[in-house]
Amino acid sequence: MSSTQTDVVFIDTLHLAADVGVDCWGKARLQPIELSVYLHLQPSFLNTSGSSDNVLDSVHYGHLSKAISSKVAGSSFNGVKRLVSVVNQEASTLAGVALGGVRVVVNLPKQILLADGFLIDTITPVGPSSSSISRIVSVRDLILPVLIGVNPPERKAKQRVITNIVFHERPSNDQQPLLDYAAIVSDIVKGIESSSYLTLEKFVMEIVRTACLTSEDIDYVTVRSQKPSALSFAHSSGVEITRRRKDFF
């Protein structure tokens, strides 16, 4: 998957519903899922179909979409990891020896209260490195009222802060359980609600620190926060900080 030549067949944002565990209200039931799948094929595999103009010489994304939908839609899974495993199996069956790796992005928009999305981005290589799985987990547009700022009016009323948190896990094998990110975000939110800040820099750094220290499985974290009401003639002002877990020891 690191070759200069890249051959990828993908499905972007397949809308389905499945039970992958509890939602933001603590209920295990069908919830909306946005599923994107990227088949990283062996270098130059698409040369044939690129020359012949025949879909039979490629990996048919229509067949992939139907296969995934039939396995996922309306089904129950023991967590997102199991759903990703099922998608990987369907991709492997369809692509066969042409497959170099699979990237599966699962967005659960109803998973984290006050957030617009919760994404689990998993890359599973095929072959000798198949035991080294990389995972990035993102909390998108978490909107919280925060007492923040140095101006007198800002000390009297909370204002909206929009925060995106990206957790980069250490490469692991398929046996590594998925962290309880809903609980991690809940702890972060509780800490924010009980605090006040003068600067966005302090606010962001505290989230980065808390997120990095939640588990040894976390390699590094990026936090980006924006204040939509800070500047009259700008969409927002913001701060983004990335730190590794080891930076806090």
Side-chain angles (χ1 to χ4, degrees):
M1 294 170 62
S2 61
S3 171
T4 302
Q5 294 184 341
T6 58
D7 292 47
V8 182
V9 170
F10 64 90
I11 301 170
D12 188 7
T13 317
L14 184 63
H15 292 271
L16 301 168
D19 180 355
V20 291
V22 298
D23 60 14
C24 60
W25 297 112
K27 295 183 177 181
R29 55 186 172 181
L30 294 180
Q31 59 178 295
I33 292 176
E34 297 173 0
L35 188 62
S36 297
V37 184
Y38 303 82
L39 305 190
H40 290 259
L41 307 172
Q42 299 295 341
S44 304
F45 175 79
L46 295 181
N47 282 0
T48 301
S49 58
S51 176
S52 69
D53 204 17
N54 189 338
V55 70
L56 297 179
D57 293 326
S58 181
V59 178
H60 200 304
Y61 46 75
H63 294 168
L64 177 63
S65 176
K66 290 180 180 178
I68 292 173
S69 296
S70 67
K71 292 288 186 179
V72 174
S75 300
S76 296
F77 300 91
N78 184 24
V80 174
K81 276 191 59 182
R82 179 55 189 161
L83 184 151
V84 171
S85 178
V86 168
V87 173
N88 285 341
Q89 290 172 8
E90 294 302 315
S92 179
T93 298
L94 189 63
V97 296
L99 191 63
V102 185
R103 178 187 175 203
V104 179
V105 183
V106 181
N107 181 26
L108 304 175
K110 302 297 184 182
Q111 184 69 22
I112 304 292
L113 200 62
L114 302 178
D116 185 54
F118 175 68
L119 290 82
I120 303 96
D121 186 336
T122 306
I123 297 178
T124 307
V126 173
S129 59
S130 60
S131 61
S132 181
I133 296 172
S134 63
R135 184 182 296 118
I136 300 172
V137 176
S138 304
V139 179
R140 177 184 293 170
D141 291 347
L142 180 67
I143 301 178
L144 297 171
V146 182
L147 191 62
I148 186 169
V150 297
N151 298 316
E154 293 179 306
R155 306 311 302 166
K156 296 178 181 179
K158 292 185 176 182
Q159 57 183 297
R160 284 194 317 144
V161 177
I162 304 171
T163 298
N164 288 266
I165 310 172
V166 182
F167 300 82
H168 295 259
E169 294 186 4
R170 300 181 187 279
S172 64
N173 56 47
D174 195 38
Q175 305 304 314
Q176 187 74 24
L178 186 66
L179 297 174
D180 187 351
Y181 282 100
I184 292 172
V185 174
S186 178
D187 288 343
I188 290 173
V189 170
K190 289 177 182 177
I192 291 171
E193 291 176 338
S194 62
S195 304
S196 66
Y197 306 87
L198 294 176
T199 66
L200 205 53
E201 288 81 354
K202 174 67 172 179
F203 173 82
V204 172
M205 185 62 79
E206 286 302 307
I207 296 177
V208 172
R209 181 193 307 275
T210 302
C212 281
L213 297 179
T214 53
S215 171
E216 293 181 353
D217 295 332
I218 301 298
D219 186 10
Y220 63 99
V221 174
T222 296
V223 175
R224 176 188 178 95
S225 292
Q226 301 164 258
K227 293 168 60 177
S229 58
L231 299 174
S232 299
F233 296 99
H235 175 269
S236 65
S237 59
V239 170
E240 178 177 304
I241 296 175
T242 299
R243 293 290 185 274
R244 293 192 176 274
R245 175 181 165 84
K246 66 181 182 180
D247 293 330
F248 297 104
F249 291 95

